[in-house]
Amino acid sequence: MKKKLQCLLVAVPLVIAFHYASGQELKLNKLEYFETQGVNVLVYNNLFTGGFNDEKNAGIELIHHGVRTAQGGAVRLSHTPEQWDLVPNISNRKVNPASKTIEATLRYADYNFDSRVVVTAKGKGVEIAVYLDKPIPKELEGKAGFNLEFLPSQYWNKAYLMDERFNRFPRYVVGNSTTRPNSEKPKQYKGYNTSDDRGTGKFIEPLPLETGRTLIFAPDEPSRLLKIISQDADLMLFDGRVLAQNGWFVIRSMLPAGKTGKVLTWTVEPNAIKGWVREPNIGFSQVGYTPSQQKTAVIELDKKDKPLTKAALYKVGNDGTAKEVFSGNIVPWGDYFKYHYVKFDFTQVKTPGIYFIQYGTIKTNNFLIQNNVYDKITDATSDIWIPIHMNHMFVNEGYRVWHGEPFKEGYLQAPPNTDHFDLHAQGPTTDTKYKALELIPGLNIGGFFDAGDFDIETGSNISVVQNFVQTWEYFKPLRDQTFVDQKQRYVDLHRPDGTPDVLQFIEHGTLNLVAQAEIIGHMSQTLSNAVLDNYHHLGDAASLTDGLPYNPKLGPYEVAPDGRSSGVKDDLWAFTSRNPGLDLSAATMFAAVSRALKGYNDPLSARALQQSKRLLKEATELLAKQPQDSTRRSFGTAGNISTNLQLYIATGEQQYADKFQQLLWPALDRNVNFILLTALNAIPHMDAAYKEKLRPYVVKYNDYIKGLEKDNPYGVPIGLGNWAGNGGITSFGTTICFANKYFPDVVDASHAYKVTNWLFGCHPYHNYSFVATVGATRPKATFYGNNRADFSFIPGNVAPGVLFRKPDHFENYDDWPFFWGQNEGTIAGNTGYLIFGSAFKNLVK
């Protein structure tokens, strides 16, 4: 055994040498990053942002054989930076093709500290050099260093060598840490603190797993093999998960004190496998297809890959054998950002059964062709995900408790001039009768958690209730799989209670929103966390606070003798600065709610209608006083259109119908895409002349739909922002469904199938279904939910989708849930999927 181990130790460096010998030199391309086949090194193509700071999406980044495995390369002030640690502002970026360099100036304004990072192509890798024109400020000595972070899920259980000492990246966080006085901790975003020191006055600092000058990653995995050499300072390897579950492995070298000029030099050499070509990604619907619909797989290819001429469809027999039943031509579509796309149409296969696609040596998992494949696409969302996100309720499922009753202590008035870490703000006054930090009674009822966190985003909850009402009024789903008891504040999944679930969801959302309107006098911005340590809480929402109102007369963590208050500053705050545009949205929703709840909860229905009329009147007056070009005023116009429509439907009063039409047509002229769905929703309540007047706008929208076929190979509106675009795509699908319902001669139903194809697997990067547990055999397995630390999912969650990383890379991690922009389902997004799924199922029938 000893001889075998010695042979292994000798062999590994030879393997490393072999793979490096096969690599090619990195070139600076026209998109302003370094590349060779299998390796992309991005240099500040994506910048750090101020809102959530270290989002693991910026700096110097490495895309290694198709996967973004490293990011965050920059001068940082902590060994393992957290989400709200300070990030540098990239004030100047220069690209010099002649010298093959990209240079950026990094600035920390809080410390008046500047540095320059110069990245130069050097053979098979890059040289990263840090320059200082002035020495490091005294207060940052021993704190400022250069970091590069590596994705744990791509490296855990793989080997590494530090100065030829062998070790292995840990699957779960292990390592040593120490504590230091809070006075030595670098500043964090706007003075907030990511941790609770429990009164110790100290913060945690991870200690390095290893230290040396040469670090080799993954010699046992050529696709992840990489070498870093530091000429001037030690390399330290840290595990960022010591401080936060979303932390990465960090390589760090400290910057020297008292020096200027070129103070640090690394060489970074990622291995490029000779002749590597990315495996084709065969995009298809994991849910399957109906016999009659169009069936087209979109195949994503490396641009170095030569497209085949044919693909085949195989049918799986009852005895387990597979037989080729169709072979068809591959049709080229063209290039879209980084990859080349071709299509395989197998529409003519209509026989129900179990199938898979084969393209060359690549076989997909199986899928179904059958008439009922779409029947249950929304069940997991409505039966599980939505009720789990009901706030102020104890939620049970079988033997499992998803969460206890949260926030029994209620909500405090946010103090004036508060700039919140979740991008909210309390203005110079409270806009209420309540004083700063005074308890606002009655808000701890109803409502839905926004997303992977536990706040109530008022705007989102308004959209949610509106989605439920639309689902109810158009489709009357009688599905009853959830027990809801408002008096007991108890929810039990998979237990029918005799009432359609959607009605109970409308009631639950309305209870909180009506309480806001009645008690505050208008809509709050949000009901959210007062301290950052609560905001990033993972696990049971009921344990986020202690359930006791904060008492400033008590010491920290002290509980009053009567057990009814505490000195813990964990109570959530109500941010109450008035936004008339938000009030208009609420007025729209309340008008719709008043109809839906009539006959089920008449008192709540009446309260909702009363608040709708009041908020419409007050918000309209407030908006009229705002400047003509005000963003809120523009938003208010769109909200006013919807509100007048909903009030007309609810009351039948002609004044609302007249105002609706007065505002609608100019809005459609400005942007038909933005308001068309609202216009379509009005058709059942208007005369025939209205419908005919709307027809030219639907024709214009149909031209937009067809234009998407030329824009990208999937024919849907793909978002390129810092939040992936599934929400926009589902809204697009809903608009198509209703346009086809009323104008089938203009908008063809086939366009709606592009949306389900996309959601269920026909998209870039991978072919997994974006809806948790919905798909034949391969839905996504990990999502950003409140259970994300378990690398799991909540059934029915809908991921935001493929996230675009400048300048040409799409991604959606399924082994790392902590990217909210691509993996976090939201209550507004998931109920948007509910209304789309309901409309689509109706279209299919």
Side-chain angles (χ1 to χ4, degrees), residues 11-262:
V12 168
L14 294 177
V15 171
I16 296 168
F18 169 78
H19 285 297
Y20 273 104
S22 68
Q24 299 177 8
E25 291 193 355
L26 287 173
K27 307 286 187 181
L28 180 56
N29 67 18
K30 294 180 180 179
L31 294 176
E32 299 186 346
Y33 65 80
F34 300 100
E35 73 168 333
T36 188
Q37 184 65 12
V39 174
N40 304 155
V41 179
L42 280 59
V43 182
Y44 306 111
N45 297 80
N46 299 290
L47 305 181
F48 300 98
T49 64
F52 291 96
N53 286 27
D54 186 8
E55 299 161 288
K56 312 299 183 188
N57 275 333
I60 298 172
E61 304 171 84
L62 170 63
I63 299 172
H64 206 182
H65 297 107
V67 179
R68 190 168 61 95
T69 59
Q71 56 75 42
V75 173
R76 300 301 301 271
L77 309 183
S78 304
H79 293 329
T80 58
E82 295 179 76
Q83 192 167 302
W84 282 273
D85 280 354
L86 296 182
V87 293
N89 176 51
I90 312 300
S91 59
N92 188 23
R93 180 177 183 268
K94 300 176 183 177
V95 179
N96 189 332
S99 60
K100 299 186 292 186
T101 63
I102 302 176
E103 176 181 333
T105 301
L106 284 60
R107 177 167 179 77
Y108 287 96
D110 296 67
Y111 293 97
N112 192 27
F113 171 47
D114 297 287
S115 60
R116 287 184 295 117
V117 176
V118 180
V119 182
T120 308
K122 295 282 187 180
K124 302 176 185 67
V126 294
E127 177 188 275
I128 301 174
V130 180
Y131 292 81
L132 299 178
D133 296 328
K134 296 179 182 178
I136 296 172
K138 287 287 185 184
E139 56 188 326
L140 291 183
E141 290 180 1
K143 297 175 184 175
F146 184 83
N147 292 17
L148 187 59
E149 304 191 17
F150 290 82
L151 182 63
S153 58
Q154 290 293 313
Y155 286 98
W156 58 44
N157 294 336
K158 294 180 175 62
Y160 69 87
L161 291 82
M162 180 71 85
D163 291 351
E164 299 190 2
R165 296 186 299 274
F166 290 81
N167 215 316
R168 196 172 293 280
F169 289 103
R171 172 64 177 81
Y172 193 80
V173 57
V174 291
N176 298 325
S177 62
T178 187
T179 58
R180 293 172 56 189
N182 286 339
S183 60
E184 298 179 9
K185 186 174 183 178
K187 298 173 185 177
Q188 291 188 284
Y189 179 62
K190 296 184 179 179
Y192 287 104
N193 195 335
T194 50
S195 62
D196 182 356
D197 63 15
R198 305 305 291 184
T200 64
K202 296 181 178 181
F203 70 97
I204 301 170
E205 184 171 79
L207 296 175
L209 301 176
E210 260 286 11
T211 301
R213 291 298 181 100
T214 300
L215 177 59
I216 296 174
F217 286 73
D220 49 339
E221 176 51 68
S223 67
R224 296 292 171 261
L225 175 58
L226 176 135
K227 183 178 183 180
I228 301 178
I229 299 173
S230 174
Q231 299 177 13
D232 311 297
D234 280 346
L235 297 167
M236 296 179 288
L237 169 62
F238 293 93
D239 192 335
R241 298 172 298 169
V242 169
L243 294 183
Q245 278 80 6
N246 65 348
W248 290 33
F249 295 127
V250 181
I251 314 304
R252 176 170 170 84
S253 288
M254 303 305 297
L255 300 184
K259 292 188 177 182
T260 59
K262 188 176 184 180

Side-chain angles (χ1 to χ4, degrees), residues 367-388:
F367 59 89
L368 306 179
I369 294 179
Q370 192 164 280
N371 279 315
N372 65 353
V373 291
Y374 298 111
D375 285 2
K376 298 181 179 181
I377 58 174
T378 60
D379 289 357
T381 303
S382 63
D383 293 0
I384 304 169
W385 196 93
I386 290 170
I388 284 171

Side-chain angles (χ1 to χ4, degrees), residues 649-692:
I649 299 170
T651 66
E653 296 179 23
Q654 188 62 36
Q655 60 170 323
Y656 296 122
D658 294 343
K659 189 66 175 179
F660 164 72
Q661 293 216 49
Q662 178 188 335
L663 296 171
L664 174 67
W665 305 112
L668 282 169
D669 289 332
R670 288 191 297 271
N671 188 341
V672 67
N673 294 7
F674 181 64
I675 203 72
L676 181 61
L677 184 56
T678 299
L680 292 167
N681 289 336
I683 287 176
H685 312 285
M686 299 292 172
D687 58 21
Y690 171 86
K691 183 178 178 182
E692 282 311 302

Side-chain angles (χ1 to χ4, degrees), residues 466 468-477 502 506 591-596 646 649 685:
Q466 189 73 56
F468 286 141
V469 171
Q470 192 173 12
T471 302
W472 175 250
E473 292 191 330
Y474 272 103
F475 309 111
K476 284 293 188 296
V502 170
I506 295 170
V593 160
S594 70
R595 302 190 304 268
Q646 296 301 326
I649 299 170
H685 312 285

Side-chain angles (χ1 to χ4, degrees), residues 730-750:
T730 55
S731 178
F732 169 74
T734 303
T735 304
I736 289 173
C737 290
F738 282 97
N740 172 260
K741 175 183 175 73
Y742 298 120
F743 297 93
D745 59 319
V746 178
V747 176
D748 194 81
S750 63

Side-chain angles (χ1 to χ4, degrees), residues 274-381:
K274 187 176 182 179
W276 178 84
V277 174
R278 181 175 181 261
E279 182 177 285
N281 169 37
I282 304 174
F284 69 101
S285 172
Q286 295 280 351
V287 165
Y289 304 87
T290 63
S292 62
Q293 76 170 94
Q294 184 175 350
K295 308 175 191 72
T296 304
V298 178
I299 305 174
E300 183 179 58
L301 298 173
D302 193 304
K303 288 180 181 177
K304 297 279 188 180
D305 196 353
K306 184 179 180 180
L308 303 177
T309 58
K310 296 274 188 178
L313 196 71
Y314 284 76
K315 189 173 187 290
V316 179
N318 295 342
D319 60 355
T321 59
K323 179 183 178 181
E324 181 179 322
V325 293
F326 176 76
S327 176
N329 292 330
I330 293 297
V331 178
W333 184 89
D335 295 342
Y336 182 64
F337 289 105
K338 185 176 287 185
Y339 298 114
H340 181 72
Y341 293 84
V342 299
K343 293 188 175 185
F344 169 55
D345 190 319
F346 54 99
T347 302
Q348 69 183 64
V349 179
K350 302 179 187 296
T351 305
I354 305 169
Y355 295 86
F356 65 83
I357 299 168
Q358 181 159 344
Y359 174 82
T361 60
I362 306 299
K363 296 180 181 179
T364 69
N365 54 267
N366 72 73
F367 59 89
L368 306 179
I369 294 179
Q370 192 164 280
N371 279 315
N372 65 353
V373 291
Y374 298 111
D375 285 2
K376 298 181 179 181
I377 58 174
T378 60
D379 289 357
T381 303

Side-chain angles (χ1 to χ4, degrees), residues 84 193-196 198 407 409 420-421 452-455 528-541 543-547 557 568-573 788:
W84 282 273
N193 195 335
T194 50
S195 62
D196 182 356
R198 305 305 291 184
F407 317 139
E409 64 270 69
H420 194 245
F421 40 78
D453 40 29
F454 303 106
D455 52 346
S528 190
N529 311 74
V531 291
L532 186 53
D533 184 51
N534 283 22
Y535 180 76
H536 59 59
H537 174 89
L538 298 177
D540 185 353
S543 64
L544 192 152
T545 64
D546 62 3
Y557 312 105
V568 181
K569 295 182 179 180
D570 60 359
D571 300 41
L572 273 67
W573 290 354
R788 57 191 176 273

